Structure formats: C-alpha cells, structure tokens
Amino acid sequence: MTSSSSPSQDTRRLAQDYSDGLRADALMEEDVAWSHEIDGERDGDQFDRSERAALRRVAGLSTELEDVTEVEYRQLRLERVVLVGVWTSGTAQDADNSLAELAALAETAGALVLDGVIQRRDKPDAATYIGSGKALELRDIVLESGADTVICDGELSPGQLIQLEDVVKVKVIDRTALILDIFAQHAKSREGKAQVALAQMQYMLPRLRGWGQSLSRQMGGGRGGLATRGPGETKIETDRRRIREKMAKMRREIADMKTGREIKRQERRRNKVPSVAIAGYTNAGKSSLLNRLTGAGVLVENALFATLDPTVRRAETPGGRLYTLADTVGFVRHLPHHLVEAFRSTMEEVGDSDLILHVVDGSHPAPEEQLAAVREVIRDVGATDVPEIVVINKVDAADPLVLQRLLRVEKRSIAVSARTGQGIDELLALLDNDLPRPSVEIEALVPYTHGKLVARAHNEGEVLSEEHTAEGTLLKVRVHEELAAELAPYVPTPAA
C-alpha cells in the first residue's frame, strides 16, 4: 500500500498492494469452511450460522441514481467501493494497516473493494477531506474503476460529505456509517437492535438533507386561522423533531433493558459468584475462546463484528469454583462515540467484572495497536481498576518473534490457541489463581439434616476438604462472611 509523500504528488493506487495480502485477509487467519465434524467439538452447535448465511448481498444490482442529490434519504447499499484515507501521523505502515482494516470492514458489510488511495496531509481538508485537487483525481479513479461508493477512513462532517459528493458524483460515506451498517446487519437481540438504532439516529440527525418540497413550510402567517400563525415548520425540521422523539423513546427502552441486566448482575453478586469479562479487538477470537472454555455455541465467523450481543455463561475452574464468563462486543480503532454511548449498558459488563480477559490476535500485523485501542475504550467505560490478563490468541498462526515481544512487554499475559486448545489448561489455572477468593476460612461439622448449607458451601465457596462422619459432613471451606456466620454454630468445639 503506497501513499503520496506530499499534497503536490499524484495519489497512487493500492491495487498492487492488495495482491500482496494487505486486504481483509491480511487482518484475519485463512478463512475455512466451518464443518460440524472439525469445529463442532470446539465451538459447539452453531445455530446462528445458517441464519447468517441465508441473506447475502448481490453485487451489481444497484438502484442508486447517477445524480445522488436526487435521492433524499438513501439506504446504505455497499457494492463497488473505492477507499480513501488521510495519513496525518505515524508511519506509512500504520496508514497501510488502517486502510487494510477499512477494506476488511467494507468486505464484512458486503462490498467489493476495487481500489484505495492514501493522501499525505497535516490534517484533513475542512472542505473535501482530501483537498480539491485530490478530489478531482479521486473522481477519475471512480470513473475508471466503475465504483458507486467512496468510503473515507475517518468521520466526515456534513459539509465534507456534501462537497466531496459534489466532486466525485457518487455516494460518499465515512468509517462511522460503515461500522453502523455492519452493526445493523449483525445485531440480533432486542437490546442490541435498540442500541444500534439509537446510534444510527444520533449519526443521522446532523446529516439530514432537504431540497425541493423538503424545504417548503407548513401553512403559517395567519392564513390558516387559530394556532397556525408564524413562519411554520419545514419538512426537514419536522423530520429532525421526529428523530429526536424516537431517540428519546429509544433511550427510555434501553434504560428499562439496562435495569433487567443490572438485576441479573446483583443476583450474581448476592450469590458471591465471581465474574470474568472477555474483552478485545474485533475478530481477535473472543467468541472462540468462550466456546472453548464453556461450550457456549456462540457464532464463530472469520469476519469483523461477527457477534455483537453479549453472552454470559456459567463456568467452573479446575478447583471446582463457579464463575461467570461474559463475551462482550468487539472493539476497533476509532470506535464511533455514538456506539460507545449506545452500547454503554452492554460494556458495563466489563466494568462490573472481577477480572478481564483481554484477548489480542497474535497473528495480527500490529497487535500492540489492538491492545491500545481496547484499553482506550475500557478507560471510557471506567473499568481501569479491574485486574487484566492479556490472552494472546491464535498462537498457531502467529510469528514466534511477535509472541516473544508481547509476552515480554505484557507482564500478566499468556499465549493460547482457541482453535487447537494450546495453552487453555494454563489459562484456566491462571483464572483459578486470580479470581477473588472468599475471605473466611472455617471448619464446620454440618448435620445431614442441613444439607443445603453443604450445597451452598460448594456453590458459593471453595471446599478445601470434605469428610462424611457419623455426626454429619465435616467441611473445611473458604466462604464469604454471610455464609461463615451461618456455619459458625456447627464449628466443632476443641476437646477439653
């Protein structure tokens, strides 16, 4: 992938670099067909796989008008796209990786990536994002390649969006709109769909356009009698008001759903069940790791943001201690702030956990950037105080030198492969050691008539030893203070 060294130089293409492996497959391991015989034991029953494959986009069936300004509210129909990036800081390799990730996002959304360009600038142009001269060159590339969409690797202001479309004469979208489209495709639960809809409306509100009849006003000025005097309201103003009303309603619905999630968390805290959250970059292997540890059967696919809805599963350490394992939504560089706000209730699973398994793709070209991007979002949701274990996944496909570097830099880290099972036993042992332990150690002789206390000791505490005697069950356990108080009457008194 190449870039122009100065604004005066010609913008160069990325086609030859895509053939060298910098497209979407450069970010992900080699894609293989999922089969029940090979992958069923690892990933469980993939009930969502047939549903996900049932609807596919077909390239070349566009109904987009040539003059984009004739369409007021256009749905996002990605087909044949050209990528555009602005390189403002960092190395050329950083810019290449960023555009390669944009290609992966576009292909996940169903687009066919035809070409890509990077413009070297101190900062994006305030009018056309890449400058007027480069915008004209981009128009020539679009005409030559037959593209119908331009995707910019950044969030464009409404003004930049309109002016760049005026030059290139095709639909222009930005990175934020692309990610929102992927989320809209993959959200399945009621809460997930509501969160995505809220984020889309927040993004759409300042970008509504109006012309022709959309700028006409309702009757006003006193001609219509009582309650109609005044300048009236234009169609676009009416649309904005309706969107704000829908956003307010959606926020109330999400708040109600958040209450249900909080009740479940309180129940787990009441039962003193430790919680572990799996966080990490998109396509790092979080769902694969959850399936390997619990057999949850969550959808696993070689794509960005394949799973969005959080999944909580009950698990057990090698020592017999119960805990919950929560899979969270994947993160990405420059995650739109609309999504961070909309998915805040989901991301609270990370902040309320006792331990974070931070999964990073060891085979990625820049795993350190993945770690930094995820930690930035973790800071945004206020989870910096939660202990973290860095899980370097996909070691079977990773460069050994990269693994050594990560293990050396990240002091609390472990290398595993969710696909082959390598390192999983060591990870479980590390989990058992790092999970918070009950604070009180007690020995009690529990009568057989009080078997519920023995069951609670197994479920809520850590049983160190257990012996069945004629008088009852002799337990030596570590439990929390409330259960210790209930076991206290059965503590054997020392012989005189």
Side-chain angles (χ1 to χ4, degrees):
M1 191 173 296
T2 58
S3 63
S4 55
S5 57
S6 67
S8 62
Q9 295 182 350
D10 292 337
T11 305
R12 286 170 288 189
R13 311 284 180 83
L14 300 174
Q16 66 272 22
D17 293 309
Y18 286 145
S19 62
D20 295 334
L22 274 178
R23 293 181 66 189
D25 50 358
L27 296 176
M28 301 179 284
E29 62 191 57
E30 188 67 22
D31 194 12
V32 294
W34 189 92
S35 67
H36 184 79
E37 294 78 10
I38 298 174
D39 300 317
E41 181 179 353
R42 180 181 73 249
D43 294 327
D45 294 325
Q46 299 287 281
F47 299 116
D48 298 332
R49 183 166 297 278
S50 58
E51 181 180 342
R52 176 68 58 85
L55 181 63
R56 290 297 183 193
R57 297 188 175 189
V58 180
L61 300 182
S62 174
T63 58
E64 196 74 36
L65 298 180
E66 182 176 353
D67 185 359
V68 297
T69 60
E70 293 183 17
V71 187
E72 183 175 1
Y73 301 125
R74 291 157 294 146
Q75 292 184 346
L76 202 59
R77 292 187 296 275
L78 301 182
E79 293 167 354
R80 300 166 59 83
V81 302
V82 172
L83 310 180
V84 179
V86 173
W87 172 21
T88 58
S89 61
T91 64
Q93 185 62 43
D94 294 337
D96 291 350
N97 289 338
S98 181
L99 208 64
E101 182 177 88
L102 187 67
L105 288 167
E107 291 184 356
T108 299
L112 174 63
V113 179
L114 302 178
D115 211 340
V117 294
I118 295 178
Q119 166 68 1
R120 184 71 169 94
R121 296 180 62 93
D122 293 334
K123 61 180 180 180
D125 182 66
T128 60
Y129 184 66
I130 55 175
S132 57
K134 297 305 176 186
L136 293 174
E137 294 180 19
L138 177 62
R139 182 186 63 184
D140 295 337
I141 295 174
V142 168
L143 290 173
E144 180 183 340
S145 62
D148 56 19
T149 304
V150 170
I151 305 179
C152 297
D153 191 17
E155 184 167 337
L156 272 60
S157 67
Q160 288 174 323
L161 200 67
I162 294 172
Q163 294 190 56
L164 189 56
E165 278 188 348
D166 288 341
V167 176
V168 299
K169 300 302 181 184
V170 296
K171 179 175 56 186
V172 176
I173 65 170
D174 57 18
R175 182 187 181 95
T176 300
L178 177 61
I179 294 176
L180 287 171
D181 181 70
I182 296 172
F183 272 55
Q185 291 182 54
H186 292 177
K188 291 189 59 180
S189 69
R190 179 168 171 260
E191 183 175 11
K193 290 178 180 178
Q195 289 167 331
V196 173
L198 176 60
Q200 286 179 317
M201 286 187 285
Q202 286 176 315
Y203 174 80
M204 186 195 309
L205 186 61
R207 293 170 175 80
L208 288 180
R209 305 185 195 180
W211 45 80
Q213 292 296 320
S214 300
L215 295 178
S216 63
R217 293 186 181 274
Q218 297 177 8
M219 184 178 294
R223 292 178 297 168
L226 294 175
T228 60
R229 295 178 178 85
E233 190 176 37
T234 63
K235 174 68 163 56
I236 194 169
E237 290 170 344
T238 303
D239 292 342
R240 285 175 178 152
R241 174 168 51 79
R242 288 175 176 170
I243 286 179
R244 291 191 186 98
E245 291 172 354
K246 287 183 179 179
M247 288 171 59
K249 179 182 178 182
M250 202 69 68
R251 288 193 178 98
R252 289 193 296 269
E253 292 180 359
I254 292 174
D256 292 340
M257 289 182 266
K258 177 184 175 182
T259 302
R261 187 180 297 277
E262 180 61 29
I263 290 173
K264 293 178 183 178
R265 281 199 292 261
Q266 289 177 355
E267 182 67 16
R268 292 198 293 267
R269 285 195 292 265
R270 187 180 68 82
N271 293 326
K272 308 298 181 182
V273 178
S275 61
V276 178
I278 302 178
Y281 214 76
T282 179
N283 204 51
K286 299 182 300 299
S287 297
S288 296
L289 184 63
L290 178 70
N291 289 340
R292 171 66 71 173
L293 294 176
T294 67
V298 175
L299 174 71
V300 174
E301 193 171 30
N302 189 22
L304 305 184
F305 299 113
T307 51
L308 297 180
D309 302 313
T311 303
V312 180
R313 290 292 184 269
R314 191 182 181 100
E316 190 173 310
T317 67
R321 300 172 60 201
L322 293 176
Y323 66 98
T324 59
L325 200 61
D327 183 18
T328 61
V329 64
F331 303 145
V332 72
R333 276 180 298 187
H334 313 303
L335 188 68
H337 65 276
H338 306 298
L339 283 174
V340 175
E341 288 301 318
F343 278 78
R344 184 169 294 275
S345 62
T346 301
M347 294 177 180
E348 285 175 357
E349 293 285 353
V350 178
D352 289 342
S353 63
D354 296 301
L355 183 66
I356 296 175
L357 293 185
H358 185 165
V359 183
V360 61
D361 184 356
S363 64
H364 190 273
E368 290 87 356
E369 293 182 9
Q370 287 193 350
L371 288 166
V374 174
R375 283 169 176 160
E376 181 179 352
V377 180
I378 289 176
R379 283 195 298 271
D380 290 342
V381 298
T384 53
D385 296 333
V386 183
E388 174 191 72
I389 297 176
V390 176
V391 181
I392 307 169
N393 193 24
K394 305 183 183 179
V395 297
D396 51 322
D399 185 345
L401 294 179
V402 174
L403 287 179
Q404 292 177 12
R405 185 176 75 239
L406 288 173
L407 291 170
R408 183 176 64 254
V409 173
E410 299 294 337
K411 302 304 180 184
R412 290 171 50 81
S413 61
I414 185 171
V416 305
S417 171
R419 175 180 291 275
T420 65
Q422 177 184 345
I424 296 298
D425 292 338
E426 291 81 358
L427 174 60
L428 287 172
L430 192 59
L431 266 175
D432 198 0
N433 183 66
D434 285 15
L435 282 176
R437 296 181 176 275
S439 57
V440 180
E441 183 173 326
I442 189 172
E443 184 173 352
L445 182 60
V446 183
Y448 290 120
T449 55
H450 292 71
K452 288 184 178 180
L453 284 177
V454 177
R456 286 184 59 192
H458 280 276
N459 291 333
E460 303 174 19
E462 183 179 358
V463 178
L464 304 178
S465 65
E466 183 177 12
E467 181 183 352
H468 298 286
T469 68
E471 293 79 15
T473 305
L474 183 61
L475 289 175
K476 185 175 182 181
V477 294
R478 293 182 62 90
V479 293
H480 52 83
E481 294 180 355
E482 295 176 5
L483 185 53
E486 295 184 43
L487 289 172
Y490 306 106
V491 173
T493 55

